[in-house]
Amino acid sequence: MRRTVIGIALVSVALAGCSSTDRAAPPVNLASPPKAALPPPNWGPVLAQDGTCTGAVPATATEIAPGLGECELVRLKGKPPTDVLVGESGRGQREVQVLYTEPGAKELYFFINNRLDRIVK
């Protein structure tokens, strides 16, 4: 019996600091650690929102065809676009829409990762 009393006394002393009136434990952050920033992909020169190119434009393309770069389109058209929309897809791809308004027609060029994907006239 004496052992039981001593055991209860030791447990009581050990639990004395664990009352519900004590301050709460600091919250545990379960979020993932921040990911290291990846370097931007090297797609070559791309269009900015204002229709200007971010670098030197290669002069290799001779026609507007799938796979053409954004700045190559502007070079081949010979004038700045009417409008440029730059965004990102849900899959992390760069998506750009380039609009040219010509007399009697509109042309919309869709780019994915700086490559012409399709044209809507």
Side-chain angles (χ1 to χ4, degrees):
M1 177 91 166
R2 184 173 176 181
R3 276 188 174 172
T4 306
V5 172
I6 292 174
I8 293 173
L10 288 175
V11 171
S12 298
V13 169
L15 295 176
C18 296
S19 68
S20 62
T21 59
D22 286 346
R23 64 177 184 215
V28 176
N29 184 2
L30 298 177
S32 301
K35 295 180 182 177
L38 296 174
N42 185 8
W43 294 319
V46 294
L47 286 177
Q49 291 282 125
D50 64 359
T52 60
C53 288
T54 60
V57 182
T60 55
T62 57
E63 67 177 340
I64 297 172
L68 183 74
E70 299 164 16
C71 291
E72 291 174 304
L73 171 71
V74 174
R75 181 185 62 80
L76 289 173
K77 293 295 268 182
K79 62 181 181 178
T82 306
D83 196 15
V84 177
L85 297 173
V86 179
E88 185 177 304
S89 73
R91 295 176 282 178
Q93 297 174 311
R94 174 185 166 87
E95 291 188 357
V96 176
Q97 297 177 16
V98 180
L99 173 67
Y100 275 95
T101 304
E102 314 242 345
K106 291 182 182 179
E107 297 174 344
L108 190 56
Y109 298 86
F110 292 90
F111 291 85
I112 297 175
N113 292 341
N114 195 24
R115 294 293 166 240
L116 182 59
D117 184 57
R118 67 186 192 277
I119 304 168
V120 177
K121 293 185 179 191

